Amino acid sequence: METLDYLKDRYAEELSRFNHFETKCSKFLTFITGIIGGMTAFASFTKETLLMPETPIGWIQLLLFCLSLFIAICAWGHSLLALRIGKCPILPKSKVAASYINRVSETERIEYIYECYVDTLELLTEEIDKKSHNLELAYSELTMSAWGLGILGFLTIFVETAK
């Protein structure tokens, strides 16, 4: 029984971890959507200078902006993949499973419940790892986009002060 208690605790922890990732993904997706909206608004307000470059520095600014926007959209896509409604493996809860547990011996019951926990934990961990991987990619891409926008901001300030 100690083994089953251990597995029950691990299952509860993994479900909590799954919910944690779901919450984090949804918040991150909202944040990225706002960033992309802000970048789009910025482009529309500066369309005369940013989107119609006349100098080599203007072309560099446009390239930096487009690259940063593209990378931000990639981060948005990875956060969507992380939030993707996939399988959230749960322990068997069917009437058939309950009937089986009721009619078998204590040893078979413990073995069956043990197998259910082990199999479900394995599947749940795989789903969480997929979410984690996509969320890590999204964070990395957001960082790259921020660097691009930072360089763009520095370059824009330099150009404006040089006038």
Side-chain angles (χ1 to χ4, degrees):
M1 277 306 206
E2 291 176 18
T3 303
L4 291 181
D5 289 339
Y6 170 80
L7 290 171
K8 183 179 181 181
D9 290 345
R10 296 303 68 76
Y11 180 71
E13 285 176 2
E14 285 299 289
L15 279 179
S16 174
R17 191 170 159 234
F18 183 87
N19 290 331
H20 172 73
F21 271 99
E22 287 286 306
T23 302
K24 188 173 271 204
C25 290
S26 65
K27 288 178 181 177
F28 191 74
L29 181 63
T30 302
F31 178 72
I32 293 275
T33 302
I35 295 288
I36 292 171
M39 291 174 75
T40 304
F42 174 76
S44 69
F45 286 124
T46 60
K47 64 183 171 207
E48 298 294 323
T49 56
L50 180 66
L51 301 179
M52 296 178 209
E54 296 176 359
T55 65
I57 290 181
W59 282 103
I60 292 171
Q61 289 174 306
L62 177 61
L63 178 67
L64 278 170
F65 177 79
C66 290
L67 188 61
S68 296
L69 181 61
F70 176 75
I71 293 171
I73 290 170
C74 289
W76 184 78
H78 279 111
S79 62
L80 268 178
L81 286 173
L83 189 59
R84 176 183 106 264
I85 297 176
K87 298 175 185 173
C88 177
I90 56 172
L91 293 168
K93 60 182 180 178
S94 68
K95 185 176 181 178
V96 174
S99 295
Y100 177 78
I101 290 170
N102 267 344
R103 73 172 181 268
V104 297
S105 68
E106 179 72 19
T107 305
E108 290 173 314
R109 180 178 23 256
I110 290 172
E111 182 63 29
Y112 177 77
I113 294 171
Y114 171 84
E115 291 297 327
C116 288
Y117 270 120
V118 169
D119 293 344
T120 305
L121 277 169
E122 190 175 295
L123 294 172
L124 189 55
T125 300
E126 286 176 18
E127 277 299 313
I128 294 168
D129 289 346
K130 287 178 193 174
K131 287 182 180 299
S132 174
H133 176 71
N134 283 316
L135 196 56
E136 285 179 33
L137 287 173
Y139 276 120
S140 296
E141 290 161 344
L142 182 62
T143 302
M144 287 187 279
S145 180
W147 273 104
L149 290 174
I151 294 169
L152 173 63
F154 178 76
L155 190 58
T156 302
I157 291 170
F158 177 75
V159 168
E160 291 300 318
T161 56
K163 286 183 179 178

